[in-house]
Amino acid sequence: MARYVTLRALQAVGVLWAAFSISFVVLYLLPADPVSIAADAGGSGTAVDKAAVAELQARYGLDRPLWEQYWTALTQAVRGDLGHSISTGQPVTDAIGDALPSTLGLASPALLFATVGGVSVAFAATYSRRPWLRNTLRSLPSLGVSVPTFWTGLLLLQLFSFQFRLVPAFGGHGFAGTILPAITLAIPIGAVIAQVLATGLESTWRQPFVDVAVAKGGSRWWVQRKHVLRSAALPTFTIAGVLVGNMLAGSVVVETVFARTGVGRLTQTSVLAQDIPVVQGIVLLTSAVFVTVNLAVDLLYPLLDPRIAGRTRRAPNRTTADSTTGAEVGARA
């Protein structure tokens, strides 16, 4: 187990290094000059003082060779120093630290709503005995994924803020100001959870080991809780990293629509200003969240499905490990 965790940790470090290097190359190959954009922050369009631009380029090290800039940025990032914002001069870690609590305050309830809603729709769609209701519930995930996030946010604003006046339209940070942005962010995530979990539940109920468990006298609820749900949850956990990434990407739109501060708004303004250090810091933050969630999911696999732990222990004898079937697992239960 220690070797497995060590390998996964090294892979996570490799992913972070690759994300840093690729984003550095892409951002520094952009044709525009971020220092000139920062010097012309007022957008007057007048000529920028070349001496001031040269002084700023020297201050941020942009006048040095690209490989030297890369090595300096990489060694500083390893020490936890992500540099300073070209637009504001603020340390990047402070800028992200100031924006992160607002985004976490939005993402946490959104993830809760998405999980509860997605699991509820998946269960209702799988176990409903009325065909029209089952078909209707099965179509909801596709609708939730296909509807644009900004359109959902504007629709909720129109209904609950402007029409019924139940919650503030913009800028709130309490429950009333968070509920609409959280629902907007949760809908596409919950739709994916519902779609993947419903498919997993239906396919797992057709597996031979489920027939064995039912034939041994297990009730429908016991079989579902003990065998079906564990197996069906694996694909849902597998896409957890993607869902978290979608949530961070969706926060850009949601925070813009609802005029909230956060990492999404910081990303938007930094991209527009080509503030390379801030954009690179956000890329590193997103990559760290990805690898952390995926590492946690990988460590949960053996707990959800004992067959995976068995394959890991008997990895040298692949023939024996691969011959373990679902029917055998059901028989052992």
Side-chain angles (χ1 to χ4, degrees):
M1 189 66 178
R3 181 174 178 272
Y4 174 73
V5 174
T6 302
L7 288 175
R8 294 293 293 124
L10 290 175
Q11 290 176 358
V13 172
V15 171
L16 289 176
W17 171 77
F20 178 88
S21 301
I22 294 173
S23 62
F24 181 91
V25 172
V26 171
L27 291 171
Y28 279 83
L29 287 180
L30 291 175
D33 181 8
V35 172
S36 298
I37 295 176
D40 189 25
S44 60
T46 58
V48 180
D49 184 6
K50 293 184 179 180
V53 171
E55 194 273 333
L56 285 173
Q57 286 178 335
R59 180 187 305 174
Y60 291 104
L62 298 176
D63 57 343
R64 290 179 288 176
L66 189 59
W67 69 267
E68 189 176 342
Q69 295 180 45
Y70 169 77
W71 180 251
T72 302
L74 181 61
T75 52
Q76 288 179 342
V78 171
R79 295 195 299 267
D81 181 7
L82 300 177
H84 290 72
S85 167
I86 295 177
S87 302
T88 64
Q90 185 183 19
V92 174
T93 51
D94 291 351
I96 295 177
D98 292 342
L100 195 57
S102 178
T103 298
L104 291 178
L106 172 64
S108 299
L111 187 59
L112 177 64
F113 294 159
T115 303
V116 174
V119 172
S120 301
V121 170
F123 271 75
T126 304
Y127 300 111
S128 176
R129 298 183 183 278
R130 299 180 178 180
W132 67 269
L133 180 59
R134 186 165 59 247
N135 293 332
T136 301
L137 291 172
R138 283 177 176 174
S139 65
L140 288 181
S142 300
L143 181 64
V145 173
S146 60
V147 174
T149 304
F150 73 90
W151 187 86
T152 304
L154 293 176
L155 179 63
L156 293 177
L157 276 176
Q158 180 64 33
L159 287 177
F160 296 100
S161 295
F162 300 128
Q163 188 72 25
F164 302 127
R165 300 182 183 281
L166 296 176
V167 293
F170 303 111
H173 287 278
F175 175 79
T178 305
I179 184 71
L180 290 187
I183 292 175
T184 304
L185 191 57
I187 287 177
I189 306 299
V192 175
I193 292 175
Q195 200 163 33
V196 174
L197 184 58
T199 303
L201 289 172
E202 292 174 359
S203 62
T204 304
W205 271 106
R206 294 193 293 268
Q207 295 297 316
F209 71 90
V210 175
D211 295 335
V212 172
V214 173
K216 291 176 67 176
S219 66
R220 184 177 177 83
W221 168 247
W222 183 84
V223 172
Q224 172 182 292
R225 182 176 58 85
K226 194 70 177 180
H227 298 290
V228 176
L229 186 58
R230 280 188 173 187
S231 180
L234 286 176
T236 308
F237 277 102
T238 302
I239 63 169
V242 178
L243 294 179
V244 173
N246 286 342
M247 186 164 289
L248 290 176
S251 70
V252 177
V253 178
V254 173
E255 289 173 358
T256 302
V257 170
F258 290 92
R260 292 175 59 91
T261 58
V263 176
R265 288 292 295 277
L266 180 63
T267 305
Q268 181 202 22
T269 55
S270 301
V271 169
L272 291 176
Q274 293 195 13
D275 198 337
I276 295 174
V278 178
V279 175
Q280 198 153 32
I282 295 173
V283 170
L284 277 180
L285 171 67
T286 307
S287 304
V289 172
F290 263 104
V291 298
T292 303
V293 172
N294 281 292
L295 178 60
V297 170
D298 287 345
L299 296 179
L300 279 175
Y301 274 159
L303 301 179
L304 293 173
D305 191 343
R307 291 173 293 180
I308 296 176
R311 289 193 184 103
T312 304
R313 286 192 297 269
R314 290 174 289 182
N317 189 357
R318 297 184 59 85
T319 304
T320 304
D322 292 340
S323 66
T324 304
T325 64
E328 291 169 348
V329 173
R332 288 199 298 271

